[in-house]
Amino acid sequence: MSTKTDILEAAMHVFAERGFRGGTVREICERAGANVAAVNYHFHDKSSLYAEVLQHAYRNAGAGEAMPTLADAPDQPEKQLAAWIHWYVRRLLHSDGTPVGRLMARELADPTEALDHLARGAVQPVFSELGRLVAAVAGGGLDDRRLKLQCITIVGQCLVFHSGRAMLQRLEPPHFTSDDAEEIARHITAGAIRACDPTPLESRR
Amino acid sequence: MSTKTDILEAAMHVFAERGFRGGTVREICERAGANVAAVNYHFHDKSSLYAEVLQHAYRNAGAGEAMPTLADAPDQPEKQLAAWIHWYVRRLLHSDGTPVGRLMARELADPTEALDHLARGAVQPVFSELGRLVAAVAGGGLDDRRLKLQCITIVGQCLVFHSGRAMLQRLEPPHFTSDDAEEIARHITAGAIRACDPTPLESRR
DNA sequence: GCCTGTTTGAAACGGATGTTTGCATCCAGA
DNA sequence: TCTGGATGCAAACATCCGTTTCAAACAGGC
């Protein structure tokens, strides 16, 4: 039974590094110290192995800190929103352990049928909680579309530091690494809270 | 000379659909109505063809519409920043013709050596212009790191509507399509201009 | 120890892919 | 008309990949 889990672990890293097509079963098996035929014996084929890798990765992803929610402190929505953004940024940048972030990015660039299950099961709850937090900070001053827009742009600001990392590193400095997660989170939080302020743009001076 | 451009055009669509590894020389040539050896004759090899496709796609993206710059109206930085964001969002979402967005997303998820050239040649100028615009709107009230942070988060907010599209469509409505480019751009612009306001967060009420 | 079902291993298979080769074709310019 | 370089084409080549085969090694119940 050790061989099967070894292959699963090795496949997770190989698929995260090289993608589904780029990752070869030979590299997976070599990394797992197993024979080439082991993949087809323990899993039916390469595709089934990939599906199990995704499930395994997402199941073990929430092993870290718990997501901050509005219910934790209903009277301090701004503090909870800040905590949520900090949690999300740290989750994205501190990819110690399972490289679930890279697997996710690859799924977005090249969606398979596994993305539907992932969206409903793992992403929607996180997104819904962000919606509750933003709505609470805004105090009901946002309609559905503006609320959704605000949530998407918050997530986008966090995501770009991970998904766009390869590009950002090739542009001119200053650069931002995982050590700057707190600075990044503070910046995004400040912008998000200001955006929830119902004051019109023209009267801010 | 027609064969070379035919191959370039066909390769752009094939690489956008299937990625660099997934797109085969044979499919490209079949689509271009050329022989398999044409790729290695006109371009050195598959990698060089891919690099030329990336540059060609990014250069011709949103052809006809020039990037708004600060130099166009140095006394109206906010208006120019709004124009820049609108231009960038429209460029990302209205991918009529060249599928530059999908190519970039794939390149970010799976960087090749072509990304270096792309970053220096095509992306850095666009990013630098955004930096000038944000600096002008802020009126010199931002240091290097905060300026860079602001630019990255602006780009991130635009990008997420494209790179995260597959996921966003699978979440709960309301959804945003390319028809909502103007609404999206206005939302991002409003947030960006507020973020450049040097007023401390606590005194906004 | 023997039998039975499970797991591992080396090798090979069949197919796909990037690239090369050798020759045919075209087409200005002498 | 002849020529030489540029281009196009069919076929072959070399390599890599996922998968299969089949026999050996193993584990546990009798």
Side-chain angles (χ1 to χ4, degrees):
Chain A
M1 196 54 184
S2 162
T3 316
K4 185 168 181 178
T5 59
D6 286 352
I7 289 179
L8 206 62
E9 196 71 19
M12 185 169 62
H13 290 97
V14 170
F15 283 143
E17 266 182 50
R18 313 210 190 285
F20 173 66
R21 249 185 269 259
T24 72
V25 308
R26 279 176 171 81
E27 182 180 357
I28 291 170
C29 291
E30 189 182 6
R31 188 162 179 161
N35 189 268
V36 231
V39 161
N40 301 89
Y41 177 75
H42 287 285
F43 313 85
H44 182 60
D45 53 11
K46 187 186 176 184
S47 304
S48 305
L49 169 61
Y50 180 67
E52 285 210 31
V53 161
L54 279 189
Q55 287 192 340
H56 180 259
Y58 295 141
R59 210 177 296 133
N60 293 23
E65 313 168 56
M67 171 174 68
T69 67
L70 179 62
D72 294 341
D75 54 335
Q76 294 179 297
E78 295 192 3
K79 181 188 159 203
Q80 288 308 100
L81 177 61
W84 189 97
I85 292 175
H86 197 178
W87 166 80
Y88 195 68
V89 169
R90 207 166 40 218
R91 200 168 111 107
L92 278 173
L93 297 188
H94 291 179
S95 57
D96 32 82
T98 67
V100 59
R102 297 200 66 177
L103 287 168
M104 173 99 97
R106 289 188 182 281
E107 271 295 308
L108 281 180
D110 206 349
T112 74
E113 65 282 354
L115 189 57
D116 291 278
H117 190 256
L118 181 64
R120 266 187 280 274
V123 178
Q124 181 66 57
V126 176
F127 213 84
S128 298
E129 184 57 40
L130 175 59
R132 278 188 287 273
L133 286 166
V134 171
V137 170
L142 296 180
D143 57 48
D144 271 5
R145 286 182 71 84
R146 294 181 63 88
L147 177 63
K148 188 70 179 285
L149 265 182
Q150 186 57 35
C151 291
I152 295 175
T153 50
I154 287 176
V155 170
Q157 289 175 79
C158 302
L159 278 176
V160 69
F161 287 94
H162 180 269
S163 63
R165 196 176 30 182
M167 178 64 78
L168 292 175
Q169 285 171 350
R170 288 167 170 81
L171 298 180
E172 294 171 357
H175 294 145
F176 295 89
T177 71
S178 57
D179 295 334
D180 306 309
E182 196 167 337
E183 181 183 2
I184 293 170
R186 270 203 308 268
H187 178 266
I188 298 174
T189 301
I193 290 181
R194 286 192 188 209
C196 292
D197 188 342
T199 310
L201 201 58
E202 288 72 22
S203 63
R204 76 200 151 76
R205 289 231 164 87
Chain B
M1 196 53 183
S2 161
T3 316
K4 186 169 180 177
T5 60
D6 286 352
I7 288 178
L8 206 62
E9 197 71 19
M12 185 169 60
H13 290 98
V14 170
F15 283 144
E17 266 182 48
R18 314 209 189 284
F20 173 66
R21 283 195 174 92
T24 72
V25 173
R26 281 175 171 81
E27 182 180 357
I28 291 170
C29 291
E30 188 182 6
R31 188 163 178 160
N35 189 268
V36 224
V39 161
N40 301 89
Y41 177 75
H42 288 285
F43 312 86
H44 183 60
D45 53 10
K46 186 186 177 186
S47 304
S48 305
L49 168 61
Y50 180 68
E52 286 210 33
V53 162
L54 277 191
Q55 291 197 347
H56 178 260
Y58 200 87
R59 212 177 292 132
N60 293 23
E65 243 182 311
M67 172 175 66
T69 67
L70 178 62
D72 294 340
D75 53 334
Q76 294 178 296
E78 296 193 1
K79 180 187 159 203
Q80 288 307 100
L81 177 61
W84 190 97
I85 292 175
H86 197 178
W87 167 81
Y88 194 68
V89 169
R90 206 167 38 220
R91 198 166 109 109
L92 278 173
L93 297 189
H94 291 179
S95 56
D96 32 84
T98 68
V100 58
R102 295 197 66 178
L103 286 168
M104 289 287 292
R106 287 186 181 283
E107 189 58 28
L108 283 179
D110 203 352
T112 71
E113 63 281 356
L115 188 56
D116 290 280
H117 293 135
L118 190 62
R120 266 188 279 276
V123 178
Q124 180 68 58
V126 177
F127 213 83
S128 297
E129 185 57 39
L130 176 59
R132 279 188 287 273
L133 287 166
V134 171
V137 170
L142 296 179
D143 57 47
D144 272 5
R145 287 182 71 83
R146 294 182 62 90
L147 178 63
K148 188 70 178 285
L149 266 182
Q150 185 57 36
C151 291
I152 295 175
T153 50
I154 286 176
V155 170
Q157 290 176 78
C158 302
L159 278 176
V160 69
F161 286 94
H162 181 271
S163 64
R165 194 177 33 181
M167 179 64 78
L168 291 175
Q169 286 171 350
R170 288 168 169 81
L171 298 180
E172 294 171 357
H175 294 145
F176 295 89
T177 70
S178 58
D179 295 334
D180 305 310
E182 196 168 336
E183 180 184 2
I184 293 170
R186 271 203 306 271
H187 178 266
I188 297 173
T189 301
I193 291 180
R194 286 192 188 209
C196 292
D197 188 343
T199 310
L201 201 58
E202 288 71 22
S203 64
R204 75 200 151 76
R205 287 234 166 87

